[in-house]
Structure formats: structure tokens, C-alpha cells
Amino acid sequence: MFILICRYNRVFAYPGDDVTLSSHLSPETNAVSMEVRWFRGTECIYLYKNGQASVGKGYEGRASLFTPELKRGNVSLMLKSIAPMDTGTYNCQVLTGHNKVEKSIHLYMSGMEPLSPDRSPKLTEQGSVDMDKSVLILELKKLLQQRENELQDKTRELETTTEMLRTKSSLLLYTNVDLENMSKLANQKEERLKSMVSELETCKRQLERLGQKLQENNAQVEELRVVLQDKERELEEEKKHLGEEGLKNTAQDAADTEESVHLLELKNLLQNKDKELEDKTKQLESATGELTRMTKLLHDRETAVENLAQEREEHVKNMTGEMELCLRELETLGQKLQERNAQVEELRVILKDKERELEEEKKHQGEREHVITGEIT
């Protein structure tokens, strides 16, 4: 067990001074895990609970504990830049479990006449109730402030997500434009491929005609070769026959000469046909190579179009997934925001009710103090 000791029951100060309302636990006890309350009258101006501090209205930045000294039992309150309105009775309460100790300190402006002990306001049961209500209101205000901060954080997060969604929507729009351009380009390439296919078909037909003509020329060459072989065979027979007879008349020589000339013409024609056949063969090989090249080019273009289509589908799928994810996140944040708004509204209603009750109690307390002061006078 411990008690609460105040070094001075009365403290005097000048306006603008910083004062310390000294109070500590005896024997020295660690107060870090305890609840420390400071009141001015019945209004809670400072609350330390669960390691968190809550400060009453008008005391923000002016009231504080010596937090590092709590482990040594120091629960003194520091007031900065005091004013005449800060004068009055300050009560310190320290709670742990079901135990509560408290002490009062009177703060005066220098030059004011201190109240005599019998004229000092007494803490009534109603005053204790008002003090508890004041603590509850301060806690609710602290909780409301935390909820509002969380709400602001969620709002900023929602704004960030919304902005991100807008950015991704714009990016998706640009991507759609790019996809449309890619589609147009793919269509142009497809038209070009169709044109190339048509050209290939024309080349194939030309090659077929060349092949047929080449076959016809080959057939003619073969016929000429057969005729030439027959003529050569006849010539050999004639020469053999002339060798056996030994003589030829002039008419027969002329006929043989004509036959030789005809044979020579056939040889020349055969050579020309062979050369023409060779040229046609080269043309056929060249056309075949061109056909192979065009076929490969057509295959490459078809592969490129398929890859482009796959990339476009994959890109659209990825962007759609990202959009769905952003929409789900936005919906979740919206639900959380609605829940936070509902909680804040509930806390505000509770806080207004408590403040209204406190105002009524203060009004009644003022009336009672006025009556008591009149009786004392």
C-alpha cells in the first residue's frame, strides 16, 4: 500500500509563471502502470492512463507530468504560463486496481487572500460523481480524437488509392489507344500478308505454266534427239554403203550434201533447245527460291501477328486484373470509412450527452456553492 503526499497544500505564483503542483507516492512506488488524474475543481484537466496522456480543453501544451519520474512515484503536475483563471483547487488522484488515493492543492495568484480552512470548498459525493464524469468525457474526447485521426488517415489512404485508380485508369486508356494502334498495325500487316499470299499464288501459277512449257520443250528436244539419232544412223548407213560401192554420182552427192546440211541444222537446233532448256531451268530454280523466301516471310509474318495478339491479350488481362484489384481495395476502404464514420458519430453523440450532463451538474453545483457561500457570509 502507499499514500499520496503533497509537499505544499498552497502554491502562490505570478501570472505567466510556470508552477509545479508537487505530489508523490510514499513509499516510493512505480506509477508507470497506474492511472493518474488531475482536476481543477471537478473538471479533469490531465489524465494519464495506459501510458497515454489526455489533456483538457485550455490546457493543451500547458499541462504535463514528469513522465520519466513516474517510475519513482513522482506524479507532480507542471503548469506553464499560468493566468488568474488557473487559480483554484487542484485534486490529484492515483488509481491502481480498486485502490484510489487523492490529495488537494490550492493555487493562488500572488496578492490574493488565501481561503481559510473552514471556507475551502468541500468535496461532496456529487462532486466525486462530476469528477468521474469529467474523466469519462476526457477519455471519450481522447478516443474521439484518435478515431478522427484514424478517419483522416483512412481518408488520405482512400484519396491516395483513388488517385492511383485514376492514374491506372488513364494508363489503361492510353494502353487501349496503344492496343487500337497495334490492332490497326496488325490489320495492315494482315492485309499486306494477304497481298503477299496473292502474289505468291500468282508466282505459283506462273511457275506451273513455266514448268508445263519446260516439259513441252523437253519433249520437243527428245523428239529432235530421236530424229537426229535416226539421221545419224541413216548417214552412217549411207557412208557404209558408199564405201562398199566406191562411187557416187553427182546427184547422189548433192543429196548427201543436203542431208548433211539438214543434219547440221538439226544439231544447231538441238543446241539451241538445250540452251533454252538450261535457261528455263535456271528461271525455275530462281522462281522456286523466291517462292521459298516468300513462304518463309509469310510464316514469319504470321508468327509475328500471333505473338502480337498474344501480347495484347496478356496486357489486357494484366490491366484488367489490376483494375479489379484496385476496385476491391477501394470498396474495402469505403466500407472501413463508413464503419469509422459510424463509430465517430456514436462517440460524438455520447460525448454531447456527457457534456450536457456535466453542464447541468456544474450548474447545480454552482447553485449549491452560491447557497453555501451565502450561508457562510
Side-chain angles (χ1 to χ4, degrees), residues 132-145:
D132 291 338
K133 287 183 178 179
S134 178
V135 171
L136 179 59
I137 289 175
L138 190 59
E139 289 180 337
L140 287 174
K141 285 183 177 179
K142 178 71 173 180
L143 182 59
L144 179 61
Q145 184 64 39

Side-chain angles (χ1 to χ4, degrees), residues 271-310:
Q271 290 177 355
N272 292 333
K273 290 295 182 179
D274 287 338
K275 184 177 181 181
E276 184 178 355
L277 178 62
E278 184 178 355
D279 294 338
K280 294 295 183 180
T281 302
K282 290 180 179 179
Q283 291 180 5
L284 181 61
E285 290 176 353
S286 176
T288 303
E290 181 67 16
L291 179 61
T292 303
R293 188 184 69 82
M294 295 293 286
T295 303
K296 185 177 182 302
L297 180 61
L298 178 62
H299 181 267
D300 294 340
R301 292 294 176 85
E302 290 177 349
T303 303
V305 170
E306 290 177 357
N307 293 335
L308 182 62
Q310 291 178 356

Side-chain angles (χ1 to χ4, degrees), residues 172-189:
L172 182 61
L173 180 61
Y174 294 143
T175 303
N176 289 334
V177 173
D178 292 339
L179 288 176
E180 290 178 0
N181 294 333
M182 291 171 66
S183 297
K184 292 179 181 178
L185 182 61
N187 292 333
Q188 292 175 358
K189 289 184 177 180

Side-chain angles (χ1 to χ4, degrees), residues 188-347:
Q188 292 175 358
K189 289 184 177 180
E190 188 175 355
E191 292 296 328
R192 176 59 180 165
L193 286 175
K194 289 181 180 179
S195 176
M196 293 175 66
V197 170
S198 177
E199 292 177 1
L200 284 175
E201 293 295 332
T202 303
C203 289
K204 286 181 179 179
R205 287 193 294 270
Q206 291 177 355
L207 286 174
E208 289 176 356
R209 287 196 294 269
L210 287 174
Q212 292 175 358
K213 190 173 182 180
L214 185 60
Q215 289 178 356
E216 293 174 357
N217 290 335
N218 288 335
Q220 292 178 2
V221 169
E222 289 298 326
E223 291 177 359
L224 289 174
R225 282 179 178 173
V226 171
V227 172
L228 182 60
Q229 289 176 358
D230 292 340
K231 292 297 182 180
E232 287 179 347
R233 192 164 45 252
E234 290 178 0
L235 182 60
E236 290 295 330
E237 291 177 355
E238 288 294 332
K239 286 181 178 181
K240 184 178 180 181
H241 182 67
L242 288 174
E244 292 176 353
E245 293 180 354
L247 294 174
K248 283 287 183 179
N249 55 31
T250 305
Q252 186 66 35
D253 290 340
D256 291 340
T257 302
E258 291 178 359
E259 189 71 22
S260 297
V261 170
H262 182 63
L263 183 61
L264 183 60
E265 290 176 353
L266 288 176
K267 285 184 177 181
N268 292 333
L269 180 61
L270 180 60
Q271 290 177 355
N272 292 333
K273 290 295 182 179
D274 287 338
K275 184 177 181 181
E276 184 178 355
L277 178 62
E278 184 178 355
D279 294 338
K280 294 295 183 180
T281 302
K282 290 180 179 179
Q283 291 180 5
L284 181 61
E285 290 176 353
S286 176
T288 303
E290 181 67 16
L291 179 61
T292 303
R293 188 184 69 82
M294 295 293 286
T295 303
K296 185 177 182 302
L297 180 61
L298 178 62
H299 181 267
D300 294 340
R301 292 294 176 85
E302 290 177 349
T303 303
V305 170
E306 290 177 357
N307 293 335
L308 182 62
Q310 291 178 356
E311 290 177 0
R312 181 175 61 185
E313 291 178 359
E314 187 68 23
H315 188 64
V316 171
K317 187 183 297 183
N318 293 336
M319 292 300 297
T320 303
E322 291 181 3
M323 286 290 293
E324 291 177 353
L325 180 60
C326 286
L327 289 175
R328 285 196 296 270
E329 291 179 355
L330 188 61
E331 184 178 356
T332 302
L333 286 174
Q335 292 176 354
K336 290 182 178 179
L337 187 60
Q338 290 178 355
E339 294 174 358
R340 293 294 183 186
N341 285 333
Q343 293 177 359
V344 169
E345 288 300 325
E346 291 177 0
L347 288 173

Side-chain angles (χ1 to χ4, degrees), residues 20 33 46 79 103 120 123 177 196 207 294 347:
T20 299
S33 60
Y46 193 93
L79 288 177
K103 281 288 184 178
S120 299
L123 184 62
V177 173
M196 293 175 66
L207 286 174
M294 295 293 286
L347 288 173

